[in-house]
Amino acid sequence: MQVENKYIRFDWAVKRMLRDKANFAVLEGLVTVLLGEKIEITELLESEGNQNREDSKFNRVDIKAKNSKGEIIIVEVQLSRQLYYLQRMLYGVSKAITEHIQIGNKYDQVKKVYSINIIYFDLGKGNDYLYHGKTVFTGVHTGDNLEVNTKEADEIRMTTPENVFPEYYIIRVNEFNQMATTPIEEWLDYLKNNRIKDDTSTPGLQEAREKLLYMTMNDADRRAYDAHMDDIMVQNDVLDTAKLEGLEQGRAEGRAEGRAEGRAEGRAEGRAEGRAEGRAEGRAEGRAEGRAEGRAEGRAEGIKQTARKLKAMGLCIADIQEATGLSEDEISEL
């Protein structure tokens, strides 16, 4: 397989290479650029996403880190394709919090969580490639931000909810289409195009230039990586083809059935009324209603046929849902 890019895709590296403590600097760099302060990773936490298995479907990595103030924070990185992605983000953050606090501990042991979500698929509408969200409590009538009492170092101090509640970053890789001039843009250029500047000084990318070179991989890792890239190409092609086939098949069947039903209903109503005006109106209404119903039924049947093909090919229900819009129950009944 001919590889044009020098560097390994991040979604593969984060599951297979960046778990090694010797390679933590790459992930540290990404989080440092996003949060705007020096981050040091201390360990990868035990979680569903950190299962390093060939058949693992999760792309979630939980990281325990320290910021520039020496505070412990938990960083969650997600790369997986999910139909209900916002719910998946919330679930992942909740798991990160609850998995890493011992039963019986006080609530002051709950750590700040940063949810970093790197997505390589269409999430919805939006013109930016980077979105950031955090929790702020604002007065409905006064417009001021709420501050609450908290105990730190045996002193009662004031803090804001945003210092406790999770923060979310969504990186929409496919929406990045510009020259890389800032550190975060250089990271996006790598995430999307596998490009890293030779003279880069961006945190994490300097280390990536040394550790994520395709040509330095051993034969076994290179074969696994090539197979991963082939799987991505096949998956994307199958999903795109399924959408096009379902749409075209639905249109064709809808047009044929609509024309047939429209003619039949138009003739029947016209003869019953026995008048020229009635026949004309009947045909017109019949054709319109027949075409509409025919298109709807044709599209529905076309989508089901496409779902059957994807199911036979072994795609998971989540991917079939994304390609066809069918519910899990509808897919299971096919």
Side-chain angles (χ1 to χ4, degrees), residues 55-84:
D55 62 343
S56 175
K57 300 300 182 183
F58 296 102
N59 253 358
R60 171 181 152 206
V61 178
D62 291 347
I63 302 165
K64 186 176 181 181
K66 289 184 179 180
N67 61 12
S68 58
K69 302 174 185 177
E71 299 170 331
I72 299 296
I73 59 177
I74 296 173
V75 179
E76 182 194 46
V77 180
Q78 290 196 61
L79 298 99
S80 57
R81 177 187 296 266
Q82 295 280 342
L83 186 61
Y84 303 106

Side-chain angles (χ1 to χ4, degrees), residues 271-282:
R271 285 194 299 268
E273 293 178 5
R275 295 192 302 269
E277 182 179 353
R279 285 195 297 270
E281 291 178 356

Side-chain angles (χ1 to χ4, degrees), residues 165-332:
F165 282 74
E167 292 188 30
Y168 300 86
Y169 290 86
I170 298 178
I171 302 175
R172 304 169 72 216
V173 176
N174 293 340
E175 299 301 317
F176 179 74
N177 296 296
Q178 58 195 63
M179 294 291 295
T181 58
T182 66
I184 188 60
E185 289 171 353
E186 285 194 40
W187 260 103
L188 262 294
D189 196 26
Y190 164 58
L191 292 176
K192 181 175 183 179
N193 304 310
N194 297 358
R195 288 197 299 252
I196 303 176
K197 294 180 179 179
D198 291 338
D199 59 348
T200 185
S201 59
T202 295
L205 292 183
Q206 293 173 305
E207 292 78 9
R209 289 188 68 246
E210 300 176 2
K211 301 177 183 296
L212 302 184
L213 279 171
Y214 175 83
M215 296 307 298
T216 61
M217 299 169 69
N218 59 47
D219 290 341
D221 285 342
R222 189 178 294 122
R223 286 193 297 270
Y225 179 71
D226 290 345
H228 171 73
M229 296 301 295
D230 287 340
D231 289 342
I232 289 176
M233 293 176 62
V234 171
Q235 175 180 280
N236 290 338
D237 184 62
V238 167
L239 292 174
D240 291 341
T241 301
K243 291 177 182 177
L244 290 175
E245 286 182 350
L247 181 61
E248 291 302 322
Q249 185 172 354
R251 285 174 177 167
E253 294 180 1
R255 285 194 294 267
E257 294 181 11
R259 283 195 295 268
E261 293 180 10
R263 292 191 190 101
E265 291 183 14
R267 286 194 296 268
E269 291 181 10
R271 285 194 299 268
E273 293 178 5
R275 295 192 302 269
E277 182 179 353
R279 285 195 297 270
E281 291 178 356
R283 291 190 185 99
E285 293 179 2
R287 291 190 187 102
E289 293 177 2
R291 281 195 291 268
E293 293 176 2
R295 291 192 192 99
E297 293 176 1
R299 282 195 295 270
E301 184 57 31
I303 289 172
K304 287 183 179 179
Q305 290 185 16
T306 298
R308 291 189 187 98
K309 293 179 182 178
L310 297 179
K311 192 174 182 180
M313 295 172 63
L315 265 70
C316 67
I317 288 181
D319 282 344
I320 297 175
Q321 285 180 291
E322 182 175 349
T324 64
L326 295 177
S327 69
E328 183 175 352
D329 290 340
E330 289 173 323
I331 295 172
S332 299

Side-chain angles (χ1 to χ4, degrees), residues 77-124:
V77 180
Q78 290 196 61
L79 298 99
S80 57
R81 177 187 296 266
Q82 295 280 342
L83 186 61
Y84 303 106
Y85 197 77
L86 292 180
Q87 292 89 333
R88 180 68 183 88
M89 286 171 53
L90 178 60
Y91 176 80
V93 166
S94 302
K95 291 283 286 183
I97 294 172
T98 57
E99 284 179 353
H100 310 304
I101 181 172
Q102 300 295 323
I103 296 177
N105 282 357
K106 296 180 180 179
Y107 289 124
D108 62 354
Q109 297 301 308
V110 173
K111 303 304 180 183
K112 173 90 172 187
V113 174
Y114 293 86
S115 177
I116 301 171
N117 302 270
I118 304 170
I119 60 176
Y120 289 84
F121 58 93
D122 183 17
L123 185 65

Side-chain angles (χ1 to χ4, degrees), residues 18-30:
L18 300 185
R19 299 171 176 280
D20 188 335
K21 189 172 183 178
N23 297 332
F24 278 180
V26 178
L27 281 175
E28 287 176 347
L30 172 60

